Amino acid sequence: MNIGEILKIFDELYPFDGKCFLNYQTPWQLLFATILSAQCTDDCVNMVTEKLFVQFPTLQDFANADIHELEKAVFQTGFYRNKARHLQGSAMKLLKHHGGEVPSDISLLTALPGVGRKTANVVRGHIFKIPSIVVDTHVKRVSNRLGLVRQTCPVKIEHELMEILPQSHWISYNQQAITHGRQVCFARKPKCDICALKIQCFSIDGHAKT
């Protein structure tokens, strides 16, 4: 495993532009979009939030929303009942305990309804520019196949990657690994024959544990 070579190839393949895959205008909108992204594609979330943030333009609107209307608005993202309650609960807590501002501290973020370390780290990285590792299904799969980690637990993967990757690449690695997972390193039938990382890959046949 040559971490330096892997990062060099990633930088060449997917130059980091700092852009988030989710559309948002305010910190709380990114927080809510990321909550909705659980078990849902970013494209679907972006389609939903385009209307959602017009229907509920402020945190107070989410806090005061009829829960059934909110459920209807996020229905397409799946698990809509839980997600609607997470959004409303987070809005209430942000207004009551944080003056309507999204905190940067990970313990405060993960204390919000529906917010785990993945969601918290998305917000910390994109809003506050705090180096953070975001472990989604693509980062998990790509990191295991490249031999960077040997874990299935997202929290353990996060901490292992923090130990072996230079902090300057934490945020860019998130985006690059996700992009590589979406375009080349599929869960099923990965395009190993065209992969620029096949020499570095721990499992060229695509059958490593994911």
Side-chain angles (χ1 to χ4, degrees):
M1 176 182 64
N2 187 324
I3 295 175
E5 187 64 24
I6 289 172
L7 295 180
K8 179 181 177 182
I9 293 172
F10 265 162
D11 287 341
E12 292 172 352
L13 288 175
Y14 317 110
F16 180 60
D17 58 10
K19 186 178 179 180
C20 184
F21 295 117
L22 296 168
N23 297 333
Y24 67 95
Q25 293 184 335
T26 67
W28 69 261
Q29 285 184 350
L30 176 59
L31 175 69
F32 283 17
T34 310
I35 290 173
L36 292 176
S37 71
Q39 303 297 312
C40 184
T41 67
D42 292 342
D43 287 342
C44 179
V45 171
N46 287 335
M47 287 191 292
V48 168
T49 56
E50 184 177 5
K51 297 178 181 179
L52 180 69
F53 295 149
V54 173
Q55 185 177 357
F56 305 99
T58 69
L59 283 173
Q60 195 65 60
D61 290 318
F62 274 93
N64 296 338
D66 177 271
I67 193 62
H68 299 297
E69 286 298 313
L70 193 50
E71 289 175 357
K72 183 178 178 181
V74 302
F75 178 81
Q76 286 179 278
T77 67
F79 303 98
Y80 63 97
R81 289 193 177 91
N82 284 338
K83 289 180 179 180
R85 283 161 175 74
H86 290 331
L87 296 186
Q88 188 164 68
S90 288
M92 291 176 174
K93 197 162 187 176
L94 288 173
L95 289 167
K96 183 177 181 179
H97 299 290
H98 302 289
E101 300 294 327
V102 175
S104 61
D105 184 88
I106 195 164
S107 63
L108 295 178
L109 282 167
T110 53
L112 297 171
V115 178
R117 291 188 65 89
K118 172 193 165 185
T119 297
N121 282 330
V122 169
V123 172
R124 281 161 56 85
H126 284 284
I127 299 301
F128 300 104
K129 309 306 178 186
I130 298 172
S132 306
I133 295 289
V134 177
V135 180
D136 75 344
T137 183
H138 301 294
V139 172
K140 175 182 175 181
R141 180 173 66 256
V142 171
S143 299
N144 268 280
R145 287 180 175 171
L146 289 175
L148 297 179
V149 299
R150 293 287 186 275
Q151 302 287 345
T152 57
C153 171
V155 175
K156 290 182 179 180
I157 292 172
E158 176 190 341
H159 288 295
E160 281 203 13
L161 290 175
M162 288 170 67
E163 290 180 6
I164 64 175
L165 296 177
Q167 193 175 101
S168 60
H169 273 73
W170 286 4
I171 297 177
S172 59
Y173 178 82
N174 297 330
Q175 187 186 66
Q176 292 164 341
I178 290 171
T179 303
H180 191 66
R182 288 176 175 175
Q183 296 183 1
V184 179
C185 195
F186 305 137
R188 296 182 179 181
K189 297 183 179 179
K191 297 180 179 179
C192 300
D193 55 327
I194 66 167
C195 182
L197 288 160
K198 59 186 175 183
I199 295 177
Q200 288 76 22
C201 189
F202 175 74
S203 180
I204 191 61
D205 61 2
H207 295 300
K209 278 189 176 182
T210 58

